[in-house]
């Protein structure tokens, strides 16, 4: 089964930057889509950014222009470069990978999450 592991979370001051990383391992088939979600206390988990294997990206309006998602298909890794961080960015950030065998969806796999805390 695919293993997804996030890293890079921590404490940062408002206006600062942080780079999250996620690696998918034990993959049998292709990882077509990787995404970052976040969940703050008392709030629903929300999509932050996602990227396809071809490099197409989507961002939540709240992070557009501040966050950048990128990936290395050869390594099955994805990164989230976060800049101009705000207090409202404080959340547990989760990485999700979708595995496909060609056009066949095999499964979605989640990481354990990494805490990002932005101090004001």
């Amino acid at each position: 089964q695919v293993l997804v592991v996030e890293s890079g979370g921590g404490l940062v001051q408002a206006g600062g930057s942080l780079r999250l990383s996620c690696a998918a391992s034990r993959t049998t088939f292709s990882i077509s889509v990787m995404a970052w979600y976040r969940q703050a206390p008392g709030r629903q988990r929300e999509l932050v950014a996602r990227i396809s294997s071809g490099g197409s990206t989507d961002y939540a309006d709240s992070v557009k222009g501040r966050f950048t998602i990128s990936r290395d298909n050869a390594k099955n890794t994805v990164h989230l470069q976060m800049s101009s961080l705000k207090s409202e960015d404080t959340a547990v950030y989760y990485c999700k990978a979708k595995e496909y065998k060609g056009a066949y969806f095999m499964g979605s796999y989640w990481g354990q999450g990494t805490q990002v805390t932005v101090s004001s």
Side-chain angles (χ1 to χ4, degrees):
Q1 189 164 272
V2 175
L3 177 65
V4 178
V5 180
E6 305 100 331
S7 62
L11 175 65
V12 64
Q13 294 182 6
S17 299
L18 207 60
R19 188 175 191 248
L20 305 182
S21 297
C22 171
S25 61
R26 303 199 305 224
T27 57
T28 302
F29 307 106
S30 63
I31 302 297
S32 183
V33 179
M34 299 186 80
W36 287 98
Y37 290 74
R38 67 185 181 188
Q39 187 166 22
R43 300 195 63 183
Q44 299 274 18
R45 187 172 298 186
E46 64 174 347
L47 176 68
V48 178
R50 61 185 170 199
I51 185 168
S52 71
S53 59
S56 298
T57 58
D58 291 290
Y59 296 92
D61 288 341
S62 59
V63 307
K64 201 170 297 182
R66 299 189 297 119
F67 291 10
T68 301
I69 189 170
S70 61
R71 68 186 291 169
D72 184 337
N73 290 336
K75 297 180 179 179
N76 280 331
T77 60
V78 63
H79 307 280
L80 187 68
Q81 178 65 50
M82 305 183 294
S83 300
S84 301
L85 284 163
K86 307 173 181 179
S87 294
E88 52 262 43
D89 294 319
T90 295
V92 177
Y93 284 70
Y94 297 91
C95 180
K96 183 176 79 173
K98 288 187 174 182
E99 188 183 37
Y100 287 82
K101 182 183 180 181
Y104 296 95
F105 173 65
M106 303 303 292
S108 293
Y109 303 91
W110 291 87
Q112 81 288 349
T114 185
Q115 177 71 50
V116 172
T117 302
V118 183
S119 62
S120 57

